[in-house]
PDB file of all heavy atoms in Angstrom:
ATOM      1  N   LYS A  51       5.042  20.640 -14.024  1.00 98.00           N
ATOM      2  CA  LYS A  51       3.617  20.606 -14.390  1.00 98.00           C
ATOM      3  C   LYS A  51       2.938  19.399 -13.736  1.00 98.00           C
ATOM      4  O   LYS A  51       1.786  19.476 -13.316  1.00 98.00           O
ATOM      5  CB  LYS A  51       3.454  20.562 -15.907  1.00 98.00           C
ATOM      6  CG  LYS A  51       3.814  21.869 -16.550  1.00 98.00           C
ATOM      7  CD  LYS A  51       3.421  21.914 -17.998  1.00 98.00           C
ATOM      8  CE  LYS A  51       3.956  23.204 -18.556  1.00 98.00           C
ATOM      9  NZ  LYS A  51       3.133  23.962 -19.349  1.00 98.00           N
ATOM     10  N   ALA A  52       3.661  18.285 -13.661  1.00 98.00           N
ATOM     11  CA  ALA A  52       3.104  17.077 -13.057  1.00 98.00           C
ATOM     12  C   ALA A  52       2.783  17.297 -11.579  1.00 98.00           C
ATOM     13  O   ALA A  52       1.746  16.837 -11.099  1.00 98.00           O
ATOM     14  CB  ALA A  52       4.070  15.899 -13.220  1.00 98.00           C
ATOM     15  N   VAL A  53       3.658  17.985 -10.859  1.00 98.00           N
ATOM     16  CA  VAL A  53       3.412  18.165  -9.426  1.00 98.00           C
ATOM     17  C   VAL A  53       2.191  19.047  -9.191  1.00 98.00           C
ATOM     18  O   VAL A  53       1.380  18.763  -8.303  1.00 98.00           O
ATOM     19  CB  VAL A  53       4.667  18.675  -8.666  1.00 98.00           C
ATOM     20  CG1 VAL A  53       4.927  20.159  -8.877  1.00 98.00           C
ATOM     21  CG2 VAL A  53       4.549  18.361  -7.178  1.00 98.00           C
ATOM     22  N   ILE A  54       2.012  20.088  -9.999  1.00 98.00           N
ATOM     23  CA  ILE A  54       0.833  20.951  -9.867  1.00 98.00           C
ATOM     24  C   ILE A  54      -0.428  20.148 -10.188  1.00 98.00           C
ATOM     25  O   ILE A  54      -1.434  20.226  -9.475  1.00 98.00           O
ATOM     26  CB  ILE A  54       0.955  22.180 -10.790  1.00 98.00           C
ATOM     27  CG1 ILE A  54       2.189  23.019 -10.430  1.00 98.00           C
ATOM     28  CG2 ILE A  54      -0.327  23.007 -10.765  1.00 98.00           C
ATOM     29  CD1 ILE A  54       2.207  23.594  -9.035  1.00 98.00           C
ATOM     30  N   ARG A  55      -0.380  19.351 -11.248  1.00 97.00           N
ATOM     31  CA  ARG A  55      -1.521  18.525 -11.646  1.00 97.00           C
ATOM     32  C   ARG A  55      -1.862  17.503 -10.557  1.00 97.00           C
ATOM     33  O   ARG A  55      -3.023  17.352 -10.175  1.00 97.00           O
ATOM     34  CB  ARG A  55      -1.220  17.807 -12.973  1.00 97.00           C
ATOM     35  CG  ARG A  55      -2.329  16.842 -13.400  1.00 97.00           C
ATOM     36  CD  ARG A  55      -1.967  16.066 -14.665  1.00 97.00           C
ATOM     37  NE  ARG A  55      -0.688  15.381 -14.611  1.00 97.00           N
ATOM     38  CZ  ARG A  55      -0.438  14.256 -13.952  1.00 97.00           C
ATOM     39  NH1 ARG A  55      -1.395  13.662 -13.243  1.00 97.00           N
ATOM     40  NH2 ARG A  55       0.756  13.690 -13.979  1.00 97.00           N
ATOM     41  N   GLU A  56      -0.840  16.793 -10.070  1.00 97.00           N
ATOM     42  CA  GLU A  56      -1.073  15.765  -9.052  1.00 97.00           C
ATOM     43  C   GLU A  56      -1.643  16.365  -7.767  1.00 97.00           C
ATOM     44  O   GLU A  56      -2.535  15.780  -7.155  1.00 97.00           O
ATOM     45  CB  GLU A  56       0.220  14.993  -8.755  1.00 97.00           C
ATOM     46  CG  GLU A  56       0.596  14.004  -9.816  1.00 97.00           C
ATOM     47  CD  GLU A  56      -0.339  12.798  -9.892  1.00 97.00           C
ATOM     48  OE1 GLU A  56      -1.061  12.497  -8.915  1.00 97.00           O
ATOM     49  OE2 GLU A  56      -0.352  12.156 -10.950  1.00 97.00           O
ATOM     50  N   ILE A  57      -1.126  17.495  -7.360  1.00 98.00           N
ATOM     51  CA  ILE A  57      -1.651  18.139  -6.145  1.00 98.00           C
ATOM     52  C   ILE A  57      -3.129  18.436  -6.321  1.00 98.00           C
ATOM     53  O   ILE A  57      -3.941  18.131  -5.440  1.00 98.00           O
ATOM     54  CB  ILE A  57      -0.863  19.429  -5.812  1.00 98.00           C
ATOM     55  CG1 ILE A  57       0.541  19.073  -5.330  1.00 98.00           C
ATOM     56  CG2 ILE A  57      -1.608  20.260  -4.761  1.00 98.00           C
ATOM     57  CD1 ILE A  57       1.476  20.264  -5.233  1.00 98.00           C
TER      58      ILE A  57
END
Side-chain angles (χ1 to χ4, degrees):
K51 289 190 186 225
V53 77
I54 299 299
R55 176 184 53 76
E56 284 290 340
I57 290 169

